[in-house]
Amino acid sequence: MSKKVLVAYFSASGVTARAAKEIAQSVGGDLYEIRPAQPYTKADLDWTNKQSRSSLEMNDPASRPAIAEPAADLAQYDAVFLGFPIWWYVEPRIVDTFLESCDLSGKALIPFATSGGSGIEGAEKSLRARCPKADWKPGKLLNRTGAKLLNRTGAAGWAKKALEL
């Protein structure tokens, strides 16, 4: 029996989106973009400005930015790949909004992240705390070259193997 797969992702710059599309294609999964109700501007994403929207959100653990459109009926999926850029060593708060807005109990959740230098370990710990009833699988960190890295290192093989775990 093949698993029905969703690739849910948040992408601020397009790098994570490219990775998500590569993964979805490799496993025959559906794509769902976690889009903010209020799109981020370049100024919002300026992590060097302590008053930027992303800085304020990340400094407030209770912040839950609104999502533009809810995910499709997740009951139909057996596994969810969850993609995001690393912000302040963890997932962006909008990913927490997604996790807390749906029931992922018992589903295989497989995180992947893009980052220019941070690891995925902090995000994996945070994600497990937010959604403890999911069946978490080991995540994958991709560097800032996104889809190009996937093509060189075999994301298709990684994604398919992750579904078997």
Side-chain angles (χ1 to χ4, degrees), residues 137-151:
K137 305 298 182 189
K140 176 91 171 153
L141 179 67
L142 311 170
N143 76 9
R144 71 180 93 196
T145 60
K148 290 181 184 175
L149 175 71
L150 289 173
N151 290 333

Side-chain angles (χ1 to χ4, degrees), residues 70-164:
D73 177 22
L74 294 177
Q76 65 183 307
Y77 296 101
D78 303 301
V80 178
F81 282 87
L82 180 62
F84 50 88
I86 299 288
W87 286 7
W88 287 259
Y89 305 101
V90 295
E91 74 283 358
R93 301 290 183 223
I94 194 163
V95 173
D96 296 336
T97 303
F98 169 74
L99 287 175
E100 294 171 4
S101 68
C102 47
D103 182 10
L104 297 166
S105 300
K107 296 194 181 301
L109 257 67
I110 309 157
F112 65 96
T114 55
S115 173
S118 299
I120 194 172
E121 299 80 15
E124 286 183 299
K125 182 178 178 184
S126 175
L127 293 168
R128 289 174 190 269
R130 303 244 182 282
C131 195
K133 293 184 179 177
D135 179 17
W136 286 98
K137 305 298 182 189
K140 176 91 171 153
L141 179 67
L142 311 170
N143 76 9
R144 71 180 93 196
T145 60
K148 290 181 184 175
L149 175 71
L150 289 173
N151 290 333
R152 285 197 313 264
T153 61
W158 166 77
K160 289 175 184 173
K161 186 175 182 180
L163 287 174
E164 295 171 4

